[in-house]
Amino acid sequence: MKEYEQYPMWDAALPLEQRLDDLIKRLTIEEKISLIPTREAAVPRLGIPAYNVGGEAAHGVAWKGEATVFPQPLGLSSTWNTALMREIGSVIGDEARAYHHREPERHGLTLWAPTVDLERDPRWGRTEEGYGEDPVLTGEMSAALVQGMQGNHSFYLKMVATLKHFFANNNEKDRLNCSSSIDPRNLREYYLKAFETPFVEGGALSMMTAYNSINGTPAIESLYVNDVVKGEWAMPGFIVCDGGDLSQTVNYHGYHATHAESAAGALKAGVDCLTDEVDLVVAALQEALDRDLLKEEDLDRAIRNIFGVRMRLGQLDRSGLNPYASIPESVLCAPEHAKLSYRAAVESIVLLKNDGLLPLKSDALRKVSVVGPLAGAVFTDWYSGTLPYRITALDGLRSRLADAEIIYEDGNDRISLQTTEGQVLSIGDEGTVVAVAEGSAEKAVFVHQDWGWGSHTLRSVKNNRYITLTEEGKYQAIAPEIGGWFVKEVVQFDPEIDNGSLMRTWNGLPLGLAEHRDKHVLAPVADSPEDGTEASNASNSAIGAKKPVPLVKHIEIDGIKRAVAAAKASDLSVVVVGNSPYINGKEEIDRPGLTLPSEQIRLVKEVRKVNPNTVVVIVGSYPFALQELKDIAPAIVYLTHAGQELGHAVADVLLGTYAPAGRLNMTWYEDESQLPDIMDYDIINNSTTYMYHEGPVLYPFGHGLTYSPFEYDAISAKRITGESGADVLKVELQVRNAGEYASDEVVQIYGRPQTSRVKRPLKQLIGFKRIHLASGEVQTVTFEIPVQKLAFWDVTRDRYCVETATWSIMAGRSSEDIRQTADMEIEGEVIPARQLDLPTFAENFDEYAGVLLDECLEGRSAVRAIVPGEPLYKEDQLSWIAFLNNGTQGAHTLEARVAAFGKGGELQIRSGGPDGALLGTCPVPMNGSESTPGQDRSDIQWTTVQCPIQPEQELDRLYIVFQGGAAIQQFKLKC
């Protein structure tokens, strides 16, 4: 036995805390520092191996090699099946273990998934990664995945799930330096609620902070990490920051001047593990210690959290008791995992519309046209694993319709390109795109795909490869797929002028012809273009064209004409459209709009004109606005990019082998005009998501049709004491499959109080179950829902509150298709009138306009006016906060903690409205250095002011109106 194996830290029979005490006692301070980066160093003298924190597992183990690939998380959530999620999580854990056994120091077991960010805006570029717009659905589905991933042993962990990104991270534009303004009700009832369930019920043992700031404080230093995640929720694992965020807090947020300050701020705020370059992290921590910004006990706390998890994963353990240590490599891509991938794909499919065309009658189909740019493709995304195989929709229909003739057309034009001087583009050696004299070489023919919003791809017919900008700086037809962090397969075309069009790179650089190895190669112009487009380092190279060269497009084959001809000659046409996960919406890029590309819309319309039996299959990473298609297509099916078994799942649903029962986890709006600015995170004030939106929608949250009608009956709801001793609502109802197809059904339970002190959701999801019923079968479905799920955050007392009210408990097939309702009295609290003679935090307003919450180092958040240059600024908008239902009267003075942000100003105290009776003013002079949003507020001077107000005025509705840079943290009235 090696000497270190005799240390208590290696004795798995001892309590975990005792082992951790021994470990920390034996580590030197230099060794402790080396264990804080995500690439944790080995400590050979103690037998501690090197360990890599991180890796991706959003819908299967990614970035390591072939692994089972499940539907994108948005698709997984469309199953509304928590039992399925646990099974998927378990498979991910098994395959993560297999890779870990292969190379333990390279392939860690603390992987970054699931993404719990709520998707209150479908334009978010990372919508594919989340679980929808509802905190209950997101919380329960992600909690189930976590449980499967981590296993069910009382001590040992199969792997560790890392929830991301904490929190209010729902825009890609300016994500590295923006701040999300979140008031307490939105924060507690919505954004935090989604994370609470996978921590408290799912037992997640790790979390990643977000890039953005929340109320002026970078998420890496958010007080909610210590106060809520580690405090209220008692999460015993470790926190990691997002990639590079230690340095970005300095370089982008401008929040600290040095990395040492950033490292110290992160560890003190509860982050335990820093994702940045190892040398940078080590140097920053050493400097922080030298400057007394950190103490050794701060390192000890982080090490305890990290190794509490590592020991439960089975490290520093010779006991042989870890049941997950024996998982063999043979589990990778096992046949039973493929079957689960199929089940997830088929359960995720949502039948949006069906005028009776589906399910198809296979015996009546002699000729079927399968058309569309996604019919012959299975796309992966940035966080996908490597597919072991792929079944396209075309493959699936061919295999399931063996006796029918299948005609395939992708609907894309085949084009050639010619310079305005007469040279043609050709594919030369190694796929290089060259310009040659016409007739001197075979001209290149490309499959031209228009993805909308100016994004195009060109795939060579000769070698079936996309043209892409290489590191050498020229275009070559060598990319088998569209992908990468920088998607260099994308090209742009300027509007045609004089029969020519300027082509540009993925990042806007104009293209021309460059001399290279005695050839004229297609390459970006070497110098910055005249229009001011900024050149990217990724495009700079020794090769560079001297001037832009316009190109003339020649259509060699009209793709839509061919698709229409195929559809006209068919009994049925299946049109498969959608998006590429790498184009017009991905990490770092928010979507420019909600519609499908215009060419895809045109394809569907033209096919439908000649064939009334047209099924539209949408394969997409997010909701779409389908106003142009919803009335012309007799059947519309939706699924996300669903992994290796996509095609089998689509075919089986269309043919009725499997009856679809997926449900939408997001509202499908009619168009983006129904959405606020993407930087406005207030779903309550803006009436967004199904909970607050009052206008029409295309398809509601929870929507999904089935092949069998289901009948709901005999709902009852009563309050009982549950097994845990807490009060629950016991809701029962009968569900009957009234059709001929055996089918799943998703029973959704919503609640709504008929009265409340505050604006409450029109309805909110409080429970759901996916059940299976045979034809004619009746099932009694029972829910036990904690009464606490009816609570809202009472800003007058800083806590959750269940109000006394009559509640409508609704059971339905979607948030709009409610079939049964039971009204019941809920005995709770009556919220008393506000006592404004007590200290009242400004962020606890009831109503507001034109303000943001910002950082206040005295605690809580400051409230200030939105200033010019900020995303939500509106000219001539009043900035105010209101405090309603007040019980304090007869006040003569307002005492407040105030500061000037950027410049001085004043606070106006008014009654009844923002332009109501003026009771008094509080000047707020500039008494510190100027600051700008996003910067460290440590030098802002907060002071207490006392402002006389007119006595004997009505104070039931008190308004504080902001002028200039005045900010307020708290106040009270003196009577």
Side-chain angles (χ1 to χ4, degrees), residues 878-903:
L878 281 177
S879 299
W880 53 266
I881 53 178
F883 299 83
L884 311 179
N885 305 316
N886 304 320
T888 304
Q889 299 295 327
H892 54 74
T893 302
L894 181 138
E895 180 180 283
R897 290 291 286 173
V898 300
F901 277 51
K903 62 179 181 179

mmCIF file of all heavy atoms in Angstrom, residues 878-903:
data_model
loop_
_atom_site.group_PDB
_atom_site.id
_atom_site.type_symbol
_atom_site.label_atom_id
_atom_site.label_comp_id
_atom_site.label_asym_id
_atom_site.label_seq_id
_atom_site.Cartn_x
_atom_site.Cartn_y
_atom_site.Cartn_z
ATOM 1 N N LEU A 878 -41.212 58.965 -18.676
ATOM 2 C CA LEU A 878 -41.066 59.205 -17.245
ATOM 3 C C LEU A 878 -40.469 57.979 -16.568
ATOM 4 O O LEU A 878 -40.730 56.845 -16.960
ATOM 5 C CB LEU A 878 -42.419 59.513 -16.614
ATOM 6 C CG LEU A 878 -42.980 60.930 -16.777
ATOM 7 C CD1 LEU A 878 -44.356 61.009 -16.150
ATOM 8 C CD2 LEU A 878 -42.048 61.963 -16.154
ATOM 9 N N SER A 879 -39.660 58.229 -15.541
ATOM 10 C CA SER A 879 -39.062 57.143 -14.762
ATOM 11 C C SER A 879 -39.597 57.245 -13.341
ATOM 12 O O SER A 879 -39.401 58.264 -12.663
ATOM 13 C CB SER A 879 -37.534 57.259 -14.769
ATOM 14 O OG SER A 879 -37.038 57.163 -16.093
ATOM 15 N N TRP A 880 -40.262 56.175 -12.882
ATOM 16 C CA TRP A 880 -40.889 56.237 -11.563
ATOM 17 C C TRP A 880 -41.104 54.841 -10.998
ATOM 18 O O TRP A 880 -41.101 53.842 -11.716
ATOM 19 C CB TRP A 880 -42.226 56.960 -11.618
ATOM 20 C CG TRP A 880 -43.186 56.430 -12.657
ATOM 21 C CD1 TRP A 880 -43.347 56.903 -13.924
ATOM 22 C CD2 TRP A 880 -44.107 55.330 -12.514
ATOM 23 N NE1 TRP A 880 -44.307 56.173 -14.605
ATOM 24 C CE2 TRP A 880 -44.793 55.205 -13.757
ATOM 25 C CE3 TRP A 880 -44.425 54.450 -11.483
ATOM 26 C CZ2 TRP A 880 -45.763 54.231 -13.977
ATOM 27 C CZ3 TRP A 880 -45.390 53.478 -11.703
ATOM 28 C CH2 TRP A 880 -46.051 53.365 -12.933
ATOM 29 N N ILE A 881 -41.262 54.772 -9.679
ATOM 30 C CA ILE A 881 -41.669 53.564 -8.976
ATOM 31 C C ILE A 881 -42.842 53.912 -8.076
ATOM 32 O O ILE A 881 -42.956 55.050 -7.602
ATOM 33 C CB ILE A 881 -40.521 52.923 -8.169
ATOM 34 C CG1 ILE A 881 -39.873 53.941 -7.223
ATOM 35 C CG2 ILE A 881 -39.474 52.329 -9.102
ATOM 36 C CD1 ILE A 881 -38.760 53.362 -6.347
ATOM 37 N N ALA A 882 -43.724 52.931 -7.849
ATOM 38 C CA ALA A 882 -44.937 53.179 -7.070
ATOM 39 C C ALA A 882 -45.065 52.164 -5.954
ATOM 40 O O ALA A 882 -44.723 50.983 -6.115
ATOM 41 C CB ALA A 882 -46.167 53.115 -7.974
ATOM 42 N N PHE A 883 -45.596 52.647 -4.828
ATOM 43 C CA PHE A 883 -45.869 51.805 -3.656
ATOM 44 C C PHE A 883 -47.344 51.992 -3.332
ATOM 45 O O PHE A 883 -47.790 53.098 -3.002
ATOM 46 C CB PHE A 883 -44.960 52.205 -2.502
ATOM 47 C CG PHE A 883 -43.503 52.046 -2.830
ATOM 48 C CD1 PHE A 883 -42.825 53.047 -3.520
ATOM 49 C CD2 PHE A 883 -42.833 50.881 -2.516
ATOM 50 C CE1 PHE A 883 -41.501 52.892 -3.862
ATOM 51 C CE2 PHE A 883 -41.497 50.719 -2.859
ATOM 52 C CZ PHE A 883 -40.822 51.719 -3.536
ATOM 53 N N LEU A 884 -48.099 50.883 -3.413
ATOM 54 C CA LEU A 884 -49.559 50.953 -3.368
ATOM 55 C C LEU A 884 -50.105 50.301 -2.103
ATOM 56 O O LEU A 884 -49.405 49.553 -1.417
ATOM 57 C CB LEU A 884 -50.143 50.272 -4.605
ATOM 58 C CG LEU A 884 -49.535 50.703 -5.952
ATOM 59 C CD1 LEU A 884 -50.178 49.935 -7.096
ATOM 60 C CD2 LEU A 884 -49.656 52.209 -6.164
ATOM 61 N N ASN A 885 -51.382 50.591 -1.828
ATOM 62 C CA ASN A 885 -52.082 50.011 -0.671
ATOM 63 C C ASN A 885 -51.329 50.296 0.617
ATOM 64 O O ASN A 885 -51.046 49.401 1.410
ATOM 65 C CB ASN A 885 -52.267 48.502 -0.860
ATOM 66 C CG ASN A 885 -52.983 48.174 -2.156
ATOM 67 O OD1 ASN A 885 -53.970 48.817 -2.503
ATOM 68 N ND2 ASN A 885 -52.470 47.192 -2.873
ATOM 69 N N ASN A 886 -51.014 51.557 0.812
ATOM 70 C CA ASN A 886 -50.200 51.945 1.955
ATOM 71 C C ASN A 886 -51.073 52.276 3.164
ATOM 72 O O ASN A 886 -52.121 52.890 3.034
ATOM 73 C CB ASN A 886 -49.340 53.163 1.597
ATOM 74 C CG ASN A 886 -48.473 52.901 0.381
ATOM 75 O OD1 ASN A 886 -47.924 51.811 0.240
ATOM 76 N ND2 ASN A 886 -48.357 53.886 -0.491
ATOM 77 N N GLY A 887 -50.592 51.865 4.318
ATOM 78 C CA GLY A 887 -51.330 52.130 5.544
ATOM 79 C C GLY A 887 -50.796 53.311 6.319
ATOM 80 O O GLY A 887 -51.408 53.741 7.298
ATOM 81 N N THR A 888 -49.658 53.851 5.926
ATOM 82 C CA THR A 888 -49.049 54.967 6.639
ATOM 83 C C THR A 888 -49.622 56.289 6.134
ATOM 84 O O THR A 888 -49.623 56.551 4.937
ATOM 85 C CB THR A 888 -47.525 54.956 6.446
ATOM 86 O OG1 THR A 888 -47.018 53.686 6.874
ATOM 87 C CG2 THR A 888 -46.863 56.075 7.237
ATOM 88 N N GLN A 889 -50.106 57.123 7.034
ATOM 89 C CA GLN A 889 -50.670 58.420 6.663
ATOM 90 C C GLN A 889 -50.078 59.496 7.578
ATOM 91 O O GLN A 889 -49.523 59.207 8.636
ATOM 92 C CB GLN A 889 -52.191 58.397 6.777
ATOM 93 C CG GLN A 889 -52.882 57.379 5.862
ATOM 94 C CD GLN A 889 -52.698 57.682 4.400
ATOM 95 O OE1 GLN A 889 -52.623 58.840 4.002
ATOM 96 N NE2 GLN A 889 -52.627 56.634 3.581
ATOM 97 N N GLY A 890 -50.228 60.729 7.144
ATOM 98 C CA GLY A 890 -49.807 61.849 7.970
ATOM 99 C C GLY A 890 -48.317 62.054 8.047
ATOM 100 O O GLY A 890 -47.802 62.677 8.989
ATOM 101 N N ALA A 891 -47.572 61.564 7.089
ATOM 102 C CA ALA A 891 -46.119 61.701 7.119
ATOM 103 C C ALA A 891 -45.705 63.121 6.773
ATOM 104 O O ALA A 891 -46.352 63.799 5.958
ATOM 105 C CB ALA A 891 -45.483 60.721 6.148
ATOM 106 N N HIS A 892 -44.615 63.574 7.367
ATOM 107 C CA HIS A 892 -44.110 64.921 7.081
ATOM 108 C C HIS A 892 -42.706 64.895 6.473
ATOM 109 O O HIS A 892 -42.199 65.908 5.990
ATOM 110 C CB HIS A 892 -44.089 65.783 8.351
ATOM 111 C CG HIS A 892 -43.340 65.157 9.483
ATOM 112 N ND1 HIS A 892 -41.973 65.084 9.535
ATOM 113 C CD2 HIS A 892 -43.796 64.572 10.630
ATOM 114 C CE1 HIS A 892 -41.599 64.480 10.658
ATOM 115 N NE2 HIS A 892 -42.699 64.158 11.347
ATOM 116 N N THR A 893 -42.042 63.719 6.504
ATOM 117 C CA THR A 893 -40.662 63.628 6.014
ATOM 118 C C THR A 893 -40.454 62.274 5.341
ATOM 119 O O THR A 893 -40.965 61.251 5.823
ATOM 120 C CB THR A 893 -39.647 63.776 7.172
ATOM 121 O OG1 THR A 893 -39.864 65.026 7.825
ATOM 122 C CG2 THR A 893 -38.204 63.708 6.651
ATOM 123 N N LEU A 894 -39.695 62.274 4.253
ATOM 124 C CA LEU A 894 -39.223 61.028 3.654
ATOM 125 C C LEU A 894 -37.723 60.951 3.868
ATOM 126 O O LEU A 894 -36.984 61.875 3.486
ATOM 127 C CB LEU A 894 -39.547 60.972 2.154
ATOM 128 C CG LEU A 894 -39.110 59.677 1.440
ATOM 129 C CD1 LEU A 894 -40.190 59.194 0.478
ATOM 130 C CD2 LEU A 894 -37.799 59.877 0.681
ATOM 131 N N GLU A 895 -37.291 59.882 4.530
ATOM 132 C CA GLU A 895 -35.869 59.643 4.750
ATOM 133 C C GLU A 895 -35.412 58.530 3.809
ATOM 134 O O GLU A 895 -36.066 57.490 3.722
ATOM 135 C CB GLU A 895 -35.624 59.235 6.203
ATOM 136 C CG GLU A 895 -34.166 58.967 6.533
ATOM 137 C CD GLU A 895 -33.989 58.572 7.988
ATOM 138 O OE1 GLU A 895 -34.036 59.472 8.853
ATOM 139 O OE2 GLU A 895 -33.840 57.354 8.250
ATOM 140 N N ALA A 896 -34.316 58.747 3.086
ATOM 141 C CA ALA A 896 -33.919 57.781 2.063
ATOM 142 C C ALA A 896 -32.412 57.679 1.970
ATOM 143 O O ALA A 896 -31.679 58.629 2.262
ATOM 144 C CB ALA A 896 -34.498 58.184 0.708
ATOM 145 N N ARG A 897 -31.955 56.476 1.541
ATOM 146 C CA ARG A 897 -30.555 56.279 1.173
ATOM 147 C C ARG A 897 -30.475 56.480 -0.335
ATOM 148 O O ARG A 897 -31.100 55.769 -1.119
ATOM 149 C CB ARG A 897 -30.090 54.871 1.520
ATOM 150 C CG ARG A 897 -29.965 54.612 3.003
ATOM 151 C CD ARG A 897 -28.814 55.398 3.617
ATOM 152 N NE ARG A 897 -27.509 54.851 3.265
ATOM 153 C CZ ARG A 897 -26.350 55.435 3.569
ATOM 154 N NH1 ARG A 897 -26.335 56.612 4.202
ATOM 155 N NH2 ARG A 897 -25.209 54.874 3.229
ATOM 156 N N VAL A 898 -29.706 57.484 -0.738
ATOM 157 C CA VAL A 898 -29.669 57.872 -2.137
ATOM 158 C C VAL A 898 -28.224 58.021 -2.605
ATOM 159 O O VAL A 898 -27.290 58.124 -1.809
ATOM 160 C CB VAL A 898 -30.431 59.196 -2.377
ATOM 161 C CG1 VAL A 898 -31.891 59.052 -1.981
ATOM 162 C CG2 VAL A 898 -29.768 60.349 -1.613
ATOM 163 N N ALA A 899 -28.060 58.011 -3.920
ATOM 164 C CA ALA A 899 -26.757 58.241 -4.535
ATOM 165 C C ALA A 899 -26.986 58.778 -5.938
ATOM 166 O O ALA A 899 -28.076 58.652 -6.497
ATOM 167 C CB ALA A 899 -25.939 56.959 -4.575
ATOM 168 N N ALA A 900 -25.925 59.371 -6.491
ATOM 169 C CA ALA A 900 -25.980 59.858 -7.866
ATOM 170 C C ALA A 900 -25.194 58.903 -8.752
ATOM 171 O O ALA A 900 -24.028 58.612 -8.482
ATOM 172 C CB ALA A 900 -25.396 61.261 -7.953
ATOM 173 N N PHE A 901 -25.859 58.375 -9.785
ATOM 174 C CA PHE A 901 -25.219 57.479 -10.746
ATOM 175 C C PHE A 901 -24.889 58.277 -12.008
ATOM 176 O O PHE A 901 -25.776 58.668 -12.764
ATOM 177 C CB PHE A 901 -26.149 56.326 -11.111
ATOM 178 C CG PHE A 901 -26.138 55.187 -10.133
ATOM 179 C CD1 PHE A 901 -26.311 55.410 -8.771
ATOM 180 C CD2 PHE A 901 -25.952 53.886 -10.563
ATOM 181 C CE1 PHE A 901 -26.305 54.377 -7.869
ATOM 182 C CE2 PHE A 901 -25.940 52.835 -9.667
ATOM 183 C CZ PHE A 901 -26.109 53.067 -8.316
ATOM 184 N N GLY A 902 -23.618 58.544 -12.219
ATOM 185 C CA GLY A 902 -23.203 59.260 -13.420
ATOM 186 C C GLY A 902 -23.316 60.764 -13.306
ATOM 187 O O GLY A 902 -22.404 61.490 -13.675
ATOM 188 N N LYS A 903 -24.432 61.245 -12.792
ATOM 189 C CA LYS A 903 -24.616 62.677 -12.605
ATOM 190 C C LYS A 903 -25.670 62.881 -11.531
ATOM 191 O O LYS A 903 -26.393 61.958 -11.152
ATOM 192 C CB LYS A 903 -25.032 63.355 -13.913
ATOM 193 C CG LYS A 903 -26.365 62.862 -14.482
ATOM 194 C CD LYS A 903 -26.710 63.601 -15.771
ATOM 195 C CE LYS A 903 -28.051 63.122 -16.329
ATOM 196 N NZ LYS A 903 -28.413 63.854 -17.560
#
